Amino acid sequence: MKRLIASALAALCLCSTAYADTIKVGVIGPFSGPFALQGKNFKAGIDAWFALHGNKVGDDEIQVIYRDVPHADPAQSKALSQELVVKEGVQYLAGYYFTPDAMAATSLLEQANVPMVVMNAASSGIVIKSPYVVRTSFTLWQTASPIGKVVFDAGIKQAVSVVSDYAPGIDADSAFSTAFTEAGGEMLETVRMPLDTNDFSPIMQRIRDSGAQAVFAFLPSGPTALGFVKSFNDSGLKADGVKLFATGDLTQEPDLPALGDATLGMQTTFHYAVSHDSPENKAFVEAASKAIGDPKELSFPAVGAFDGMYVISKMIEATGGTQDAKKAVEAVKGLSWESPRGPVSIAPGTRHITQNIYLREVAKSAVGAYYNKEIQTFANQGDPGLAAIK
Ligand code: PHB
């Protein structure tokens, strides 16, 4: 539209280019059902961005249109993404909590001339599916690799891994197993669970039977991950000396009160903790808390969304609001900024976010609030997964 108006104006020799447009951004996420809290965090991050930076880039106004995909459902995600492009005329697609939902929509991007800014979905392979994908979240290879050595250095010689049976789970298992065995450890077993399993007692029995000293686990954040950690706490494995390690997906802040003292001291690696100590995070947490209503509901998808809006605003700036996916994506390659999570940049080769990964420990504050306490920083981590896949 803008291009048409621009050429019409040029033809008439009305030489002003200062006209405003509405730039639509379509956001896919789980906004109802068991994972609704994760979608609510997308919205809180986006609203926090608008609260701190406004909803305009130059004269152009950003309008966000939300579409609900409650579970990992690639067909529904693709259909709604297409509807956003064709009927709503969005210039950007964003959000995507689950990997299969992001994967399914990548096939639309080139023909539609639309960039996709992935605000959560974390399997390494998504960026390979289309040159128009940029990711502001994390990958499981990125978060699960550092903890392999941490576990070995904690004196653990034999471990099992337990992961959800879909791409991010397989990535998490591969990353952890690679790092743990490279450090000198031995993997006794890998258990893959269906994505929607919520009876974990047979899994706990398999862990016990393996004789391992430690478990590494990954499930996508939400009620099933919470159920898994609860089940571990109730299984008696901890009392028998078996330690649970995980990526931060298993200790997202809203779940910590329900996990209680039994989870104190559990170590995880992740890109973001709500407690991260920096002026940028203080401003973000304040704005996002206001947006979400209850600060105890704040979690990592909010920061992926907040930074995603930064990337989209830079794309709009670079294209002057015109629809040019190639130019938009080129403009953010190499972009670096101070995120609420710490220093980050978009790697030009992979379009994935380079960032610090933190080792954290579940702790309790003086006033009895549970939080993820950052205790070590693995600085400037890229995505080792892409090298592993190729
Ligand atoms: C994913 O499906 O990519 C995903 C979802 C939730 C997580 C991590 C990864 O916590």
Side-chain angles (χ1 to χ4, degrees):
M1 186 60 178
K2 182 167 261 184
R3 212 177 289 152
L4 276 179
I5 297 171
S7 40
L9 287 177
L12 288 169
C13 216
L14 303 173
C15 294
S16 165
T17 49
Y19 45 86
D21 225 341
T22 298
I23 312 288
K24 293 183 182 176
V25 177
V27 173
I28 300 271
F31 299 107
S32 69
F35 293 92
L37 179 65
Q38 313 306 113
K40 199 172 172 187
N41 269 280
F42 273 169
K43 188 161 189 309
I46 291 166
D47 288 345
W49 173 265
F50 288 144
L52 293 176
H53 302 281
N55 68 342
K56 283 187 141 187
V57 180
D59 288 329
D60 296 326
E61 193 169 301
I62 305 175
Q63 183 195 349
V64 179
I65 304 173
Y66 293 93
R67 287 292 179 269
D68 182 21
V69 180
H71 295 270
D73 185 342
Q76 193 188 11
S77 172
K78 187 172 176 182
L80 289 175
S81 300
Q82 190 147 26
E83 186 251 334
L84 282 166
V85 169
V86 175
K87 290 216 183 101
E88 297 290 347
V90 302
Q91 281 191 34
Y92 296 89
L93 283 168
Y96 300 98
Y97 187 67
F98 290 106
T99 286
D101 298 343
M103 286 279 194
T106 54
S107 60
L108 304 171
L109 305 177
E110 276 194 82
Q111 206 195 343
N113 190 22
V114 167
M116 173 191 281
V117 177
V118 175
M119 294 171 165
N120 189 69
S123 181
S124 290
I126 301 168
V127 295
I128 299 171
K129 289 276 180 184
S130 163
Y132 290 168
V133 178
V134 177
R135 176 162 38 201
T136 57
S137 52
F138 61 100
T139 67
L140 270 308
W141 270 95
Q142 200 174 27
T143 57
S145 294
I147 204 163
K149 184 158 168 22
V150 169
V151 172
F152 184 76
D153 290 347
I156 312 275
K157 302 284 176 281
Q158 294 179 318
V160 293
S161 89
V162 179
V163 298
S164 295
D165 191 9
Y166 78 134
I170 294 161
D171 286 2
D173 171 41
S174 307
F176 174 80
S177 301
T178 302
F180 182 63
T181 50
E182 271 175 6
E186 182 191 357
M187 291 304 297
L188 293 179
E189 198 174 347
T190 292
V191 182
R192 291 186 182 167
M193 310 169 279
L195 196 50
D196 55 1
T197 293
N198 50 33
D199 174 14
F200 299 108
S201 35
I203 310 279
M204 297 306 150
Q205 193 54 46
R206 274 181 78 173
I207 295 169
R208 188 182 300 282
D209 292 346
S210 77
Q213 301 162 276
V215 191
F216 165 78
F218 165 78
L219 298 86
S221 262
T224 37
L226 173 62
F228 179 86
V229 183
K230 268 187 176 166
S231 176
F232 178 84
N233 289 345
D234 296 343
S235 67
L237 281 165
K238 193 177 173 187
D240 293 346
V242 181
K243 281 198 161 147
L244 175 60
F245 294 88
T247 50
D249 312 83
L250 268 66
T251 62
Q252 68 162 342
E253 284 78 0
D255 291 348
L256 294 178
L259 293 172
D261 284 357
T263 304
L264 283 176
M266 179 176 162
Q267 292 191 340
T268 59
T269 36
F270 218 34
H271 61 299
Y272 179 66
V274 176
S275 66
H276 183 71
D277 186 14
S278 72
E280 289 78 12
N281 191 45
K282 191 166 179 283
F284 166 74
V285 168
E286 217 173 275
S289 295
K290 237 183 241 165
I292 207 162
D294 178 357
K296 290 196 284 301
E297 290 192 332
L298 261 196
S299 184
F300 62 93
V303 87
F306 183 80
D307 286 332
M309 290 313 291
Y310 177 64
V311 165
I312 289 171
S313 74
K314 285 290 170 192
M315 288 173 161
I316 295 171
E317 193 179 292
T319 53
T322 59
Q323 187 158 356
D324 186 339
K326 193 160 187 254
K327 192 169 180 186
V329 171
E330 281 307 316
V332 299
K333 288 183 180 174
L335 185 69
S336 65
W337 71 100
E338 196 64 36
S339 159
R341 67 188 98 172
V344 299
S345 61
I346 301 295
T350 62
R351 292 160 275 110
H352 176 67
I353 195 161
T354 301
Q355 58 192 331
N356 295 343
I357 298 300
Y358 304 91
L359 174 64
R360 310 98 48 83
E361 194 165 270
V362 177
K364 204 173 182 177
S365 75
V367 293
Y370 297 100
Y371 67 108
N372 288 301
K373 180 179 180 181
E374 291 175 349
I375 53 175
Q376 193 182 334
T377 302
F378 302 90
N380 220 18
Q381 303 288 298
D383 180 16
L386 290 167
I389 287 170
K390 278 175 188 164

